[in-house]
Amino acid sequence: MESGPAIFAGAAFVLFGTALLLWTAVRLKLRAPVADGVSPVASATLSLLFAAASLGGGIWCLGYA
């Protein structure tokens, strides 16, 4: 019974983390700003950290499903 919400949450986290990682990579490749009005290095670093955390959380949720 408890595996349903864990699978849903894990899939949502993995999907968001993957999308954020790909979006950040494309923005960096095009040398476009990741966030307006913020240091390019800081915004890219934070975006990559949040993408990795989301992927890790999703994999962790799916591991317990």
Side-chain angles (χ1 to χ4, degrees):
M1 283 294 206
E2 295 176 1
S3 66
I7 292 171
F8 177 76
F13 277 123
V14 167
L15 182 63
F16 175 75
T18 303
L20 183 60
L21 186 64
L22 289 174
W23 181 80
T24 304
V26 168
R27 299 295 286 181
L28 290 175
K29 183 177 179 185
L30 295 174
R31 294 190 180 267
V34 176
D36 288 331
V38 183
S39 166
V41 174
S43 62
T45 302
L46 283 175
S47 179
L48 291 173
L49 284 175
F50 279 112
S54 181
L55 283 171
I59 292 170
W60 180 75
C61 283
L62 290 173
Y64 282 103

